[in-house]
Amino acid sequence: MTGDVKTFEIVFEGRGAASGKMRNDIQVNWPAQGESFELATDEGPFHGGDGTAPPPLALFTAGLIGCLMTQIRAFSKRLKIPVDGLAVSAQLRWKGEQIGREPYVSAPLGFGLDVEMQSSASREDQIRLLEAAKKGCFIEQTLAVGNVVTHRLKTEDGWIDV
Amino acid sequence: MTGDVKTFEIVFEGRGAASGKMRNDIQVNWPAQGESFELATDEGPFHGGDGTAPPPLALFTAGLIGCLMTQIRAFSKRLKIPVDGLAVSAQLRWKGEQIGREPYVSAPLGFGLDVEMQSSASREDQIRLLEAAKKGCFIEQTLAVGNVVTHRLKTEDGWIDV
């Protein structure tokens, strides 16, 4: 296929403030859309929190599922592959490794997504739609590659890279 | 340092169902803890949704921020590095590339986290705490490496890998 190549950029910003024992109140902004969202994370009593909000990994899980589902429905229209109903199940696995009483080190083990489309489209078209959604999903494309996450720490001399 | 090596596994499961135009209702379970969380994503009118819930990338942003903050506070206790107040700001950037009217392909551009600790600890100890939190944060450790995300599609012949 030929056509003009267009690129666009998506920027999300967020700021979290520690509030309860383990609770974080997090405002997320999507400046280009002028949208703002109030979110929060917490931990259950087992982890020293008050269970007032989902843990961070629950938001991550929902974000991953929602991202793929959104792209399936958005690209359904664009590719003219009808989807009348959609459910996606996911399993996300990590491990932690701890030496003695040191802080543990975590690592991902695997992520799996099961997609159920209610669709009159052929299997081939459903596969084509799913493949397009995978490539369009910002979170999946992020997980697929090694990313550099940069950190700065505020000090009395200003921000330093850590 | 010496000590026994312990490993543990964290498994999150989720199931999303398409409801509104672009809304997804997503139940996330943490079976080992017997915890369950009701979450949702939506898109604003610009993207064909009704704006009834944050978009998936807002959950992702809050999950990333909350994950690092949780580990900073958890490891603060373990490392005996006091943290009296904590705020973390983040900027997450992606790009999309589209040829003609084809579905766009997305890619991550960069993730940055700015950490402000209210702490009587030395700068060296604050850095040590932040380094430990980075290694313990499940989401950061996931972003750092290339992950295989597997997909299955339900067909009348059962699940097939896509």
Side-chain angles (χ1 to χ4, degrees):
Chain A
M1 271 180 97
T2 59
D4 291 340
V5 177
K6 284 173 290 190
T7 60
F8 59 92
E9 200 169 316
I10 301 263
V11 178
F12 272 70
E13 293 173 347
R15 183 174 174 84
S19 51
K21 277 181 254 165
M22 290 296 268
R23 181 182 168 97
N24 303 303
D25 287 287
I26 304 166
Q27 180 175 318
V28 177
N29 299 315
W30 188 358
Q33 298 286 331
E35 293 178 2
S36 185
F37 310 95
E38 301 291 337
L39 292 153
T41 67
D42 200 349
E43 300 288 331
F46 181 78
H47 295 281
D50 295 308
T52 62
L57 293 182
L59 298 190
F60 181 82
T61 302
L64 174 61
I65 293 172
C67 190
L68 184 67
M69 295 182 74
T70 297
Q71 299 299 18
I72 288 172
R73 285 206 280 181
F75 291 165
S76 160
K77 292 170 198 155
R78 191 163 301 181
L79 294 172
K80 297 185 172 42
I81 297 172
V83 175
D84 301 316
L86 177 64
V88 172
S89 299
Q91 190 188 59
L92 295 82
R93 292 168 51 235
W94 291 270
K95 70 169 179 178
E97 186 174 291
Q98 186 174 17
I99 300 173
R101 285 285 300 160
E102 287 184 55
Y104 61 77
V105 175
S106 57
L109 286 179
F111 306 100
L113 291 155
D114 286 347
V115 177
E116 299 168 59
M117 296 185 201
Q118 287 171 26
S119 174
S120 57
S122 68
R123 182 182 302 189
E124 288 65 33
D125 274 349
Q126 290 186 41
I127 290 172
R128 189 159 62 93
L129 174 56
L130 179 51
E131 292 287 7
K134 287 159 59 172
K135 293 198 186 81
C137 171
F138 293 91
I139 297 176
E140 286 216 22
Q141 293 292 87
T142 302
L143 295 182
V145 297
N147 297 277
V148 176
V149 183
T150 59
H151 298 76
R152 298 191 308 168
L153 179 67
K154 195 170 193 177
T155 73
E156 53 198 7
D157 304 320
W159 293 99
I160 60 169
D161 295 322
V162 173
Chain B
M1 274 180 96
T2 59
D4 292 340
V5 176
K6 284 173 290 189
T7 61
F8 59 92
E9 201 169 315
I10 301 264
V11 178
F12 272 70
E13 294 173 347
R15 182 173 176 84
S19 51
K21 277 180 252 165
M22 291 297 269
R23 180 181 168 98
N24 302 303
D25 288 287
I26 305 166
Q27 180 175 319
V28 177
N29 299 314
W30 189 357
Q33 298 287 332
E35 293 178 1
S36 185
F37 310 95
E38 300 292 337
L39 292 153
T41 67
D42 201 349
E43 299 288 331
F46 181 79
H47 295 283
D50 295 307
T52 62
L57 293 182
L59 298 190
F60 182 83
T61 301
L64 175 62
I65 293 171
C67 189
L68 185 68
M69 295 181 75
T70 296
Q71 299 299 19
I72 289 172
R73 286 207 280 180
F75 292 165
S76 160
K77 293 170 198 156
R78 190 164 301 180
L79 294 172
K80 297 184 173 41
I81 298 172
V83 175
D84 301 317
L86 177 64
V88 172
S89 299
Q91 190 188 58
L92 295 83
R93 292 168 51 235
W94 292 270
K95 69 170 178 179
E97 187 175 290
Q98 185 175 18
I99 300 175
R101 285 286 299 160
E102 288 184 56
Y104 61 77
V105 174
S106 57
L109 286 179
F111 306 100
L113 291 155
D114 286 347
V115 178
E116 299 169 59
M117 297 185 201
Q118 288 171 26
S119 174
S120 57
S122 69
R123 182 182 303 190
E124 289 65 33
D125 275 348
Q126 290 186 42
I127 291 172
R128 189 159 62 95
L129 174 56
L130 179 52
E131 293 288 7
K134 285 159 59 173
K135 293 198 186 79
C137 171
F138 293 91
I139 298 177
E140 287 216 21
Q141 293 292 88
T142 302
L143 295 182
V145 297
N147 298 277
V148 176
V149 183
T150 60
H151 298 77
R152 298 191 307 167
L153 179 68
K154 194 171 194 178
T155 73
E156 53 197 6
D157 303 321
W159 292 100
I160 59 170
D161 295 323
V162 173

